[in-house]
Amino acid sequence: MSDKKTFYITTPIYYPSDNPHIGHAYTTVAADSMTRYKKMRGFDTYFLTGSDEHGQKIQRRAAEAGKQPKEFVDEIIANFKALWEKMEIDYDHFIRTTDDYHMKTCQELFQKIYDQGDIYKSEYSGWYCTSCETFFTELQVGEEHICPDCGKPVEMMKEESYFFKMSKYADRWLKFIEENPDFIRPESRRNEMINFVKQGLDDLCVSRTTFDWGIPVPFDNKHVIYVWFDALINYYSALKARGDGSLYDKFWPADVHLVGKDIIRFHTIIWPIMLMAADLPLPKCVLGHGWVLINSDKMSKSKGNVVDPFKLCDKYGVDAIRYFLMREMGYGLDCNYNEELLAVRINNDLANDYGNLLSRTTGMINKFQKGIIDAPGAGTEYDQELIDLARAMPDRYAALMDKMEWANALAELWTLVNKANKYIEDAAPWALNKAGEKEKLATVLYNMVEVIRQVTIMVSPIMPGLPTRVWQQLGISDREDLHTWDSLTWGGMPSGIAIDRGEPLFPRIDLDAIDAEEIPSAKSDVKAQVETESIAPIAPECMISDFEKLDLRVVKVMECEKVPKTDKLLKFKLQLGTEERTVLSGIAQFYSPEDLIGKQLILIANLKPAVIRGIESKGMLLSAEKDGKLQLVECPNMPIGSRIV
Ligand code: MSP
């Protein structure tokens, strides 16, 4: 038996009703990056993904396509697998809920929970969204009978069903959440779920009779098991029911279920209660991430804005797409995608910051030192600061990676890349060369190489294709000992090595050449829209000193609720340094309070306080407004308290 620490991570299992899109790619890249990172840190890892193949939605979609469900999903699953291969997703197992071992395990658990009296037969009468495969109450669907999650019409469902006694477990769940503060992350989602359960839990309908594409209830085959009850069990059956059970012994329970915010309720309420009922250990953490939005809008087939990740990878390279996704999505927040944003990110971070650092370094080593990395000696006054930052970076980066704050981890790592670029400007190796300062020159070039080596190791879980190309250029392809996390001690790079300068790793993208036809939601859609619309007249000229009177700061929403008996007002509790501010804003018709928790917004922090409805409001939140539409201005990736200048 190995005494290595273990790490079990899962993505949701995707519905193979449509081909994979960039949103699916986000979760899977995040899980893959995290797995690679943990592996690099010496963990024994297990990474599970797969497909959720039963239920009414799949059955209907297959019928529309004139196919049997299994035949229908087989084709789509082949596309998912092809994408994962293309994106260098190195999963350990791809589970299909139609796999025999899963179906058997699912029936066994259903039977077990039934035998102990937690599943009973009754009749369900209520609303159902087939697209989300979710039951809703009258109150939730409103007068228009629209799904509160996806906005599609819901259907009235009235049929005999088995029910799972969720209500019985509410108190135990609340106690568990209280004792395990890190189980639901981020915290804003945790609070949302606690509020939900505190309002009382209904028993859950866990079988259907009006269609047959599902796993039969073992003791009543007129019923098939509700697709979510079936699907959640995948995380368990993939380990427990395959092989000799040793996978289960080694990896259960999961360290993290990575899921999108739309399915957090299933994973943090239904799933743990199922496990409590089955007397199984609960996962350690469910991390709910935001959505990849397309030009600030939800992706949907009917809007025609679904982005095909195959095309993106072909055009920009897998490493760049993986980097973009992991850098752009702030912890627990949504991120915006359009092709121009992608290209700007690639140009700035990869072509300019990282790529230039490498090409300038190898270029100067070629030019000034005949292509050899010389040994460092007496250096310059600029060295120490760079070396101190590089020495501190592995711990700083690891702390954020361990918390799964990937965007922050990359932003932190790039402070070292940027420092190294500044170091080149300050130390000016070209001047040292001219002045014949050979030793100083060798030191500066060595330090640059060492920073590149260390950054490349740290970023390798996110861009797994990158290191091979960089090691080739630095002449250390065969020195595997220099590619590991453990080699991240300053000065590990040997001298006397011949470099092999290659092509730029990330060529700059010409923003004007981005073609909207090729991949939906490229920049020209935006451009066309902006250029043809008239805007309100610009206000009279002002002085910079007028602007400077305003103290604009980045704040974080800690709490948000509607002000009773008003239509428009939301009351915010905002974090600003050590201070917690109360601010009112008349934007209730544009936002649900729970969607704002955790967001970073911009506050006019020195506005004279005003008392509205008896509440003192200290400041004003910035938002953009046009033609009755409104959007708060966000600043997701800067520290709280940052000044807007
Ligand atoms: N089959 C269920 C999951 C069962 S897990 C036991 C399901 N499938 S799904 O294919 O509809 O969605 C899978 C995941 O993709 C969800 O976590 C969802 O949040 C995520 N995404 C779908 N669209 C997304 C974006 N636009 N952006 C980011 N993730 C999104 O739900």
Side-chain angles (χ1 to χ4, degrees):
M1 267 273 287
S2 141
D3 55 2
K4 271 182 164 182
K5 283 201 265 176
T6 59
F7 183 72
Y8 174 31
I9 187 169
T10 67
T11 71
I13 47 172
Y14 301 104
Y15 288 127
S17 48
D18 291 297
N19 282 325
H21 57 59
I22 195 80
H24 303 128
Y26 170 76
T27 325
T28 317
V29 166
D32 181 71
S33 300
M34 198 59 197
T35 307
R36 287 172 186 270
Y37 166 74
K38 285 286 183 182
K39 243 186 214 158
M40 184 160 82
R41 302 301 313 274
F43 282 69
D44 212 343
T45 59
Y46 202 83
F47 166 18
L48 179 71
T49 189
S51 51
D52 183 359
E53 303 180 23
H54 293 122
Q56 200 168 10
K57 167 157 84 174
I58 300 281
Q59 186 162 19
R60 279 191 190 160
R61 294 294 291 275
E64 280 159 24
K67 293 183 179 157
Q68 289 302 315
K70 187 74 169 36
E71 180 196 0
F72 172 74
V73 297
D74 278 351
E75 283 173 24
I76 298 175
I77 288 167
N79 291 335
F80 270 92
K81 287 188 169 172
L83 180 66
W84 302 152
E85 194 177 334
K86 190 175 191 77
M87 297 195 81
E88 304 212 33
I89 304 295
D90 191 13
Y91 54 76
D92 289 284
H93 183 59
F94 190 103
I95 186 169
R96 298 184 56 167
T97 50
T98 48
D99 289 339
D100 286 344
Y101 67 85
H102 169 77
M103 306 227 299
K104 190 164 160 281
T105 314
C106 194
Q107 286 183 322
E108 284 166 5
L109 274 189
F110 199 95
Q111 182 80 54
K112 180 175 180 198
I113 298 175
Y114 175 75
D115 289 344
Q116 75 194 33
D118 282 346
I119 287 179
Y120 62 93
K121 194 150 86 176
S122 182
E123 191 182 71
Y124 181 82
S125 169
W127 298 98
Y128 193 73
C129 172
T130 308
S131 180
C132 300
E133 299 281 19
T134 308
F135 303 96
F136 290 108
T137 61
E138 188 75 44
L139 198 68
Q140 287 170 313
V141 300
E143 278 174 12
E144 289 173 336
H145 302 140
I146 296 291
C147 168
D149 286 347
C150 72
K152 292 187 187 143
V154 289
E155 295 165 62
M156 178 40 100
M157 199 185 113
K158 193 170 165 52
E159 60 191 56
E160 179 189 276
S161 293
Y162 284 94
F163 283 79
F164 173 39
K165 282 190 189 164
M166 297 262 294
S167 52
K168 173 178 152 185
Y169 289 89
D171 289 342
R172 195 166 145 191
W173 183 91
L174 283 164
K175 185 161 178 286
F176 169 77
I177 296 298
E178 200 177 298
E179 287 167 358
N180 295 275
D182 283 338
F183 175 70
I184 305 175
R185 291 173 52 194
E187 207 183 334
S188 54
R189 304 261 169 244
R190 178 171 184 266
N191 297 337
E192 221 178 283
M193 293 302 116
I194 292 174
N195 288 340
F196 185 86
V197 174
K198 279 191 173 158
Q199 283 162 21
L201 272 183
D202 291 333
D203 290 346
L204 177 72
C205 173
V206 287
S207 78
R208 302 285 313 267
T209 50
T210 44
F211 63 92
D212 60 3
W213 179 237
I215 302 175
V217 166
F219 45 84
D220 188 349
N221 61 15
K222 205 170 84 190
H223 290 248
V224 290
I225 296 175
Y226 171 44
V227 62
W228 268 101
F229 196 93
D230 156 359
L232 287 161
I233 291 172
N234 92 87
Y235 303 129
Y236 171 73
S237 59
L239 299 190
K240 184 69 178 176
R242 289 172 47 247
D244 58 4
S246 60
L247 281 175
Y248 177 83
D249 294 340
K250 189 167 179 182
F251 291 106
W252 190 265
D255 290 272
V256 51
H257 293 308
L258 201 56
V259 303
K261 62 181 183 182
D262 50 328
I263 58 171
I264 198 140
R265 193 165 55 82
F266 295 93
H267 283 81
T268 59
I269 301 177
I270 299 178
W271 177 226
I273 291 182
M274 284 168 66
L275 291 170
M276 283 174 190
D279 203 18
L280 290 167
L282 269 52
K284 292 176 201 153
C285 168
V286 176
L287 178 68
H289 61 73
W291 281 331
V292 182
L293 301 176
I294 305 298
N295 288 325
S296 306
D297 202 358
K298 210 175 165 195
M299 237 184 298
S300 97
K301 223 169 146 191
S302 53
K303 288 180 196 154
N305 65 358
V306 177
V307 177
D308 177 353
F310 283 99
K311 285 187 182 160
L312 276 188
C313 290
D314 284 340
K315 194 165 172 187
Y316 296 107
V318 168
D319 279 336
I321 301 302
R322 288 179 60 122
Y323 177 85
F324 171 82
L325 291 171
M326 300 309 291
R327 175 67 186 83
E328 210 65 24
M329 179 96 79
Y331 181 64
L333 304 171
D334 291 339
C335 86
N336 204 9
Y337 164 85
N338 67 49
E339 206 175 335
E340 189 174 21
L341 279 176
L342 168 69
V344 167
R345 181 61 85 185
I346 294 175
N347 281 351
N348 289 348
D349 292 16
L350 301 181
N352 284 0
D353 299 344
Y354 178 89
N356 267 349
L357 179 65
L358 178 68
S359 65
R360 289 174 90 185
T361 304
T362 52
M364 286 191 275
I365 292 174
N366 263 353
K367 199 163 162 198
F368 304 146
Q369 296 183 165
K370 301 198 174 72
I372 303 294
I373 303 168
D374 284 338
T380 71
E381 61 186 293
Y382 306 105
D383 302 352
Q384 202 51 47
E385 226 178 280
L386 177 74
I387 295 172
D388 287 347
L389 183 62
R391 283 208 167 111
M393 193 49 72
D395 283 349
R396 287 193 197 170
Y397 181 70
L400 292 162
M401 286 298 283
D402 288 335
K403 287 198 277 177
M404 295 182 280
E405 295 189 19
W406 303 294
N408 289 339
L410 288 171
E412 183 68 42
L413 185 58
W414 249 243
T415 61
L416 178 57
V417 174
N418 293 331
K419 182 93 195 160
N421 280 314
K422 169 109 185 359
Y423 173 71
I424 304 183
E425 295 308 317
D426 291 340
W430 46 89
L432 295 174
N433 180 59
K434 213 167 174 187
E437 297 267 18
K438 288 280 175 219
E439 200 173 331
K440 283 188 178 169
L441 174 65
T443 307
V444 171
L445 294 178
Y446 176 90
N447 288 345
M448 283 155 61
V449 168
E450 183 59 336
V451 167
I452 293 166
R453 182 183 76 90
Q454 299 210 1
V455 169
T456 306
I457 292 171
M458 284 185 262
V459 83
S460 64
I462 283 120
M463 296 196 279
L466 181 71
T468 322
R469 298 160 71 203
V470 177
W471 305 150
Q472 159 105 23
Q473 296 209 16
L474 297 185
I476 53 169
S477 297
D478 56 352
R479 291 289 309 268
E480 276 174 29
D481 57 317
L482 301 176
H483 308 163
T484 63
W485 184 271
D486 288 343
S487 75
L488 289 177
T489 39
W490 184 260
M493 182 74 194
S495 55
I497 291 202
I499 60 152
D500 177 11
R501 192 164 193 233
E503 292 296 303
L505 295 179
F506 299 101
R508 276 191 70 79
I509 298 153
D510 176 1
L511 298 185
D512 289 330
I514 291 176
D515 176 6
E517 294 295 303
E518 208 181 324
I519 303 175
S521 62
K523 73 163 193 176
S524 24
D525 313 6
V526 186
K527 219 175 174 185
Q529 195 191 352
V530 170
E531 279 170 357
T532 54
E533 280 175 10
S534 61
I535 59 163
I538 304 286
E541 216 168 64
C542 73
M543 304 300 287
I544 187 80
S545 54
D546 294 323
F547 172 74
E548 278 168 357
K549 284 185 196 147
L550 296 178
D551 192 347
L552 302 174
R553 299 293 181 119
V554 176
V555 290
K556 186 169 190 148
V557 181
M558 307 308 287
E559 290 171 30
C560 181
E561 60 186 27
K562 276 189 99 164
V563 176
K565 297 191 199 134
T566 68
D567 292 337
K568 293 192 180 159
L569 281 182
L570 289 183
K571 179 175 152 197
F572 290 83
K573 280 252 154 58
L574 303 169
Q575 196 67 44
L576 177 60
T578 52
E579 190 190 349
E580 204 174 60
R581 286 267 181 120
T582 300
V583 170
L584 298 184
S585 184
I587 56 170
Q589 68 269 50
F590 302 102
Y591 288 98
S592 307
E594 60 275 12
D595 287 342
L596 293 171
I597 294 169
K599 287 206 187 290
Q600 294 199 181
L601 307 173
I602 297 180
L603 179 78
I604 307 182
N606 62 339
L607 197 68
K608 200 168 166 13
V611 177
I612 309 167
R613 301 249 168 183
I615 305 168
E616 186 182 47
S617 176
K618 289 174 78 178
M620 186 179 125
L621 289 165
L622 292 195
S623 43
E625 190 273 329
K626 189 167 192 293
D627 301 334
K629 259 185 89 179
L630 181 139
Q631 193 171 56
L632 284 160
V633 179
E634 289 185 47
C635 189
N637 294 324
M638 287 299 289
I640 294 169
S642 301
R643 275 199 79 153
I644 313 301
V645 288

